[in-house]
Amino acid sequence: LSFSVEPGEIFGLLGPNGAGKTTTIRMALDLFKPDAGRILVFGGPLDEAKKDRIGYMPEERGLYEDMRLADCLHYLGQLKGLSRTEAHVRAEAALKRLELWDHRQKKIEKLSRGMTQKAQVIAATLHEPDLLIVDEPFANLDPVNIELVKGILQDLKARGKAIIMSSHQLALVEAMCDRIV
């Protein structure tokens, strides 16, 4: 497998369950080691500084279930290098944009699957990463919320961010991606 992703592009990984989309993502993030070959991120091997330039939204839930939504987002934003104030300001704007503001004090375990999916989008994008990797970003979302998330991805693309989107939903991938593998 060989591909590159350019700034300002949404690049699609398309295939059925079990095709290796998530495994490819996990290798790019250095969570799994490849058996052979090499993976270059931002022109070289992945290191800790480069990890802060990446946002990742896994297919499975990746948030702290026992935390309140706003607290979790503030914490995750600070882990990615945002000041406390900046994490709060960005989280507030994102929670309002994705219609989660009224749920900010709920524990994540109490959110619906769709709300949790939108919260994961916020967590992955809060620090405005140069590379965003989203694995099945539209899972559990109704048509209205799919449009909200599509808007966020399109905004990031317009600001020159590179996006890798993994999905088995052909219509969404075809509609959004500049190139597909």
Side-chain angles (χ1 to χ4, degrees):
L1 177 64
S2 179
F3 65 89
S4 64
V5 182
E6 302 302 322
E9 155 177 67
I10 300 178
F11 184 88
L13 292 175
L14 179 65
N17 292 334
K21 301 178 303 292
T22 299
T23 299
T24 299
I25 289 169
R26 289 177 178 166
M27 286 189 293
L29 293 170
D30 200 32
L31 300 172
F32 290 176
K33 299 291 183 196
D35 294 331
R38 62 190 177 125
I39 299 171
L40 304 177
V41 179
F42 302 120
L46 189 62
D47 59 29
E48 292 305 311
K50 289 178 183 177
K51 287 180 183 178
D52 282 343
R53 297 176 56 197
I54 299 172
Y56 174 49
M57 189 186 97
E59 180 177 9
E60 67 280 347
R61 292 183 178 193
L63 301 175
Y64 296 103
E65 298 275 324
D66 199 38
M67 289 182 80
R68 288 188 175 97
L69 174 57
D71 294 340
C72 183
L73 295 175
H74 300 155
Y75 173 70
L76 294 172
Q78 289 175 69
L79 283 180
K80 285 292 191 173
L82 298 179
S83 70
R84 185 171 192 260
T85 301
E86 189 63 23
H88 283 256
V89 168
R90 289 186 187 186
E92 180 178 341
L95 287 165
K96 288 177 179 177
R97 180 174 182 181
L98 283 172
E99 301 174 355
L100 290 173
W101 180 250
D102 293 341
H103 304 280
R104 69 189 180 279
Q105 295 302 321
K106 288 184 182 175
K107 287 191 174 187
I108 290 170
E109 66 188 359
K110 299 295 184 188
L111 299 176
S112 71
R113 290 187 313 187
M115 288 179 191
T116 302
Q117 188 76 353
K118 292 191 299 183
Q120 288 197 144
V121 169
I122 296 170
T125 60
L126 197 63
H127 65 293
E128 297 184 8
D130 294 318
L131 171 62
L132 175 64
I133 302 172
V134 290
D135 198 354
E136 298 293 350
F138 306 110
N140 303 313
L141 296 179
D142 59 45
V144 171
N145 286 308
I146 286 173
E147 290 304 314
L148 285 173
V149 171
K150 283 171 65 175
I152 287 172
L153 297 177
Q154 294 291 352
D155 288 350
L156 289 168
K157 174 186 172 177
R159 292 199 322 262
K161 308 300 183 177
I163 301 167
I164 298 174
M165 183 173 75
S166 169
S167 182
H168 62 272
Q169 297 179 13
L170 178 61
L172 285 169
V173 172
E174 283 184 325
M176 293 197 62
C177 295
D178 301 292
R179 293 183 302 130
I180 301 169
V181 68

